[in-house]
C-alpha cells in the first residue's frame, strides 16, 4: 500500500461489510511510537497481499488512516490463517 503522507492517527472498528467504514471505532491510535510500528507493518505487508473472495470472506475490521496532510485512507482487514 502506498502511503500518501506521514500517518497522524489510525482508527479501528469491527467491520459491517464491504463498501464503507464502520465509524463506531473501538480504538484510535495517535501515539507516535505506535503509529510508526503500524506504518512499518503496512509497508512490510506490501507485496504480500492475498486475494480475497468477497462473496465468501467478509472483512473482520475496518481501518481508517488519517494522514498529516488531512487525507484519509479506508481499509478492510480480512484475517486469515497466515
Amino acid at each position: 500500500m502506498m502511503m500518501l503522507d506521514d500517518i497522524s492517527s489510525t482508527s479501528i472498528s469491527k467491520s459491517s461489510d464491504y463498501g464503507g467504514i464502520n465509524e463506531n471505532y473501538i480504538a484510535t491510535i495517535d501515539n507516535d511510537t505506535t503509529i510508526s510500528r503500524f506504518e512499518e507493518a503496512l509497508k512490510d505487508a506490501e507485496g504480500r497481499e492475498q486475494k480475497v473472495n468477497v462473496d465468501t470472506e467478509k472483512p473482520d475490521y475496518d481501518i481508517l488512516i488519517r494522514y498529516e496532510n488531512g487525507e484519509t485512507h479506508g481499509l478492510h482487514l480480512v484475517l486469515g490463517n497466515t
Side-chain angles (χ1 to χ4, degrees):
M1 181 182 120
M2 289 279 301
M3 297 291 150
L4 302 176
D5 195 8
D6 291 330
I7 296 174
S8 63
S9 70
T10 302
S11 297
I12 303 165
S13 60
K14 291 271 190 184
S15 185
S16 301
D17 208 345
Y18 291 105
I21 300 292
N22 176 5
E23 294 181 3
N24 295 318
Y25 303 114
I26 55 177
T28 296
I29 301 166
D30 56 8
N31 172 287
D32 288 340
T33 302
T34 306
I35 288 174
S36 293
R37 290 181 185 153
F38 184 80
E39 195 169 14
E40 286 175 27
L42 287 176
K43 288 177 182 176
D44 187 49
E46 189 174 337
R48 293 197 228 174
E49 301 92 359
Q50 296 184 6
K51 301 260 188 246
V52 173
N53 182 338
V54 297
D55 294 324
T56 59
E57 298 180 73
K58 300 300 179 195
D60 296 293
Y61 295 95
D62 294 332
I63 301 172
L64 179 65
I65 299 171
R66 289 181 190 86
Y67 294 99
E68 290 182 4
N69 67 4
E71 294 188 54
T72 60
H73 239 149
L75 302 172
H76 293 300
L77 177 64
V78 178
L79 300 179
N81 291 333
T82 55

